[in-house]
Amino acid sequence: MPRIRFRRIRPALLKSRRCIFFAIAVSAMAPVASTTELAIDPMTVLIREYSRGNGSHEYLSSGTDESYASYVLDRPSSPYANLKWSLLPPPDAPTRRAIESVSTQEHPVNLRDLHDMKVWDLGFTKARVSSETFRMPEELRYLPGAWSIVKAGIEPDIYVQAIRNQSLAHPAMTANYALAAQLLRTKLTATPRSLWKARGLRHDVLDRFVGGEFMQAHDFHYLIQFLDGALAAWDAGSTSVYGFRQLPAPLRLGRIAAAYRQRLPFEHEPCLQDGTHDPEYAGAGILDRRPLCFDDATDRAIHVWYAHELVQELASIHERSDGIVSLAERMAAPLRSSRQGWIGIRRPDAIAGVTRIEVVEAKVASQLLVEGDVSYRDAFGASRRALRLSCGMRP
């Protein structure tokens, strides 16, 4: 039987050709560890293997975020869409090589695993499903938005201190500083103390933040610049502080912002008792500005909400007439110049689109270009394709 390659699949399936294909024989092999625990980045390994087969240009230039969303979700235009099952033909040679490159004797990986990781990383899952979240800390268990806190990978002390340092009146802004502090702690923990200064890691800023000390303007700027670096890269495949697969940084930012928003009162509760959205009161996304039911919304839908919320919060903050610089102003100043996860240049009108597959692929291609695994032509083409989206992108 001839091998089936992605580009030879019939037209009806072309829109989803970049999805991970399911082979019946392979998917019968159960992995040793949960796919949410394996430190594997499927987007990177797939693009690398396509490049080695001289197929990265085709891989990076075909398909869209909309076609992939239609493949994995039952109602792709709804923030409350559920995952759906699709059976597709076996993978081609680059995908098989990708599978082989990430499999080990202890943790064999199959096509279903790669697919599940990719779906998770691109933000198509929710927080209300108990199988997606683990190790709920006792101090978080009864807080509003607890599952979002856990899925964002924010430790309890940082979550609480961000509120004390800033304000619940600005959940999106506060979320930026919470995630920045968490990322800084993670980097400090993973780096030998002797290298902290050389790598620009400021433990004193984290100490002031967690200790509730007065934060200077330069502390806020440092944290947002540090966060900008993380948002600009593609960081899939790491393990969260709660022991499962960590979301990429932009999606973590949306989740923690949602958790802070859930501490504020709603005019009408958008969620039902079982955690699903209430059709009568829950926002439907896009032009519907009613509050989302965050526990029932996908990660990417929450990030779109976050992007609009941040713009509104920044626009609401003005200089005081008495000349005193308020805490809100000091928080807002660094965020007004933040790139917020875009690629290469500041595009504040496109923040909501940083989770699109075209933007993710551009980030991956840029990283692989530095490593010598993707050609300049392909990396440049991927970046240009993503940048073009910002002109007409209206998530």
Side-chain angles (χ1 to χ4, degrees):
M1 179 178 179
R3 290 179 291 184
I4 300 176
R5 297 183 60 81
F6 284 132
R7 54 177 172 270
R8 293 180 182 175
I9 297 173
R10 62 183 183 277
L13 294 177
L14 274 176
K15 66 179 181 179
S16 58
R17 58 171 286 283
R18 294 180 306 168
C19 310
I20 304 301
F21 282 62
F22 286 45
I24 297 177
V26 178
S27 64
M29 179 179 61
V32 174
S34 168
T35 58
T36 58
E37 298 175 359
L38 298 177
I40 295 169
D41 175 6
M43 297 288 287
T44 297
V45 297
L46 283 167
I47 293 175
R48 179 185 290 117
E49 292 304 329
Y50 268 96
S51 180
R52 289 174 178 171
N54 296 318
S56 57
H57 175 71
E58 179 189 4
Y59 184 89
L60 291 168
S61 62
S62 62
T64 64
D65 188 76
E66 288 77 11
S67 66
Y68 190 80
S70 295
Y71 163 65
V72 299
L73 298 176
D74 59 356
R75 297 166 296 148
S77 62
S78 171
Y80 311 111
N82 295 307
L83 295 175
K84 67 180 182 182
W85 174 273
S86 295
L87 180 65
L88 292 177
D92 60 7
T95 305
R96 290 197 298 273
R97 291 198 302 270
I99 294 286
E100 183 179 358
S101 69
V102 297
S103 293
T104 65
Q105 185 174 0
E106 295 77 15
H107 300 297
V109 175
N110 58 44
L111 291 172
R112 179 188 295 272
D113 297 335
L114 279 190
H115 171 79
D116 290 346
M117 293 175 199
K118 185 175 178 180
V119 167
W120 174 282
D121 293 345
L122 291 174
F124 292 106
T125 60
K126 304 180 180 184
R128 68 181 179 85
V129 182
S130 59
S131 62
E132 292 177 359
T133 46
F134 310 93
R135 303 183 189 176
M136 174 67 74
E138 192 63 33
E139 56 265 52
L140 299 180
R141 188 172 299 278
Y142 302 106
L143 289 179
W147 287 124
S148 285
I149 301 170
V150 172
K151 201 170 187 187
I154 305 298
E155 292 177 276
D157 63 330
I158 288 179
Y159 166 77
V160 172
Q161 198 57 54
I163 301 173
R164 293 174 178 168
N165 288 342
Q166 283 83 57
S167 169
L168 272 179
H170 305 101
M173 290 169 49
T174 302
N176 277 265
Y177 292 99
L179 181 57
Q182 185 68 58
L183 290 169
L184 178 56
R185 173 181 283 175
T186 300
K187 184 67 72 172
L188 285 166
T189 301
T191 305
R193 181 180 291 270
S194 60
L195 297 178
W196 286 357
K197 184 176 181 180
R199 297 184 180 179
L201 300 178
R202 296 281 303 278
H203 67 89
D204 59 311
V205 175
L206 181 63
D207 291 344
R208 282 191 290 275
F209 183 94
V210 176
E213 299 177 29
F214 181 77
M215 300 284 289
Q216 299 284 350
H218 58 78
D219 291 329
F220 288 124
H221 278 278
Y222 173 82
L223 286 172
I224 296 306
Q225 288 174 359
F226 189 86
L227 176 62
D228 250 351
L231 292 171
W234 177 244
D235 61 342
S238 61
T239 301
S240 87
V241 293
Y242 299 106
F244 61 89
R245 185 177 184 83
Q246 184 64 77
L247 286 174
L251 298 175
R252 297 176 68 183
L253 194 52
R255 273 290 167 195
I256 193 60
Y260 288 133
R261 176 61 185 88
Q262 286 176 273
R263 293 183 67 112
L264 299 173
F266 294 102
E267 183 178 356
H268 298 286
E269 176 56 50
C271 299
L272 298 172
Q273 288 294 323
D274 64 357
T276 60
H277 70 286
D278 186 338
E280 184 176 357
Y281 297 118
I286 310 299
L287 299 178
D288 186 348
R289 295 305 180 210
R290 292 178 300 169
L292 291 175
C293 173
F294 296 111
D295 287 348
D296 195 26
T298 64
D299 296 329
R300 56 171 32 207
I302 289 177
H303 184 270
V304 171
W305 162 83
Y306 156 80
H308 290 289
E309 176 69 20
L310 179 64
V311 171
Q312 292 176 1
E313 289 179 18
L314 292 176
S316 70
I317 298 173
H318 308 285
E319 293 183 6
R320 291 174 44 157
S321 58
D322 57 10
I324 298 176
V325 179
S326 67
L327 173 61
E329 287 181 77
R330 289 192 290 124
M331 288 174 57
L335 287 166
R336 290 197 171 104
S337 59
S338 170
R339 289 177 178 152
Q340 285 291 313
W342 201 244
I343 48 176
I345 59 177
R346 179 173 176 264
R347 289 183 177 265
D349 58 330
I351 294 174
V354 301
T355 60
R356 289 181 62 96
I357 197 169
E358 297 92 343
V359 177
V360 172
E361 288 178 344
K363 291 181 179 181
V364 174
S366 296
Q367 292 171 199
L368 291 176
L369 172 64
V370 174
E371 299 171 13
D373 288 330
V374 166
S375 69
Y376 174 80
R377 183 198 69 168
D378 289 353
F380 178 77
S383 295
R384 183 173 60 180
R385 181 175 182 236
L387 289 170
R388 282 175 178 170
L389 289 170
S390 65
C391 299
M393 192 188 313
R394 296 291 184 271

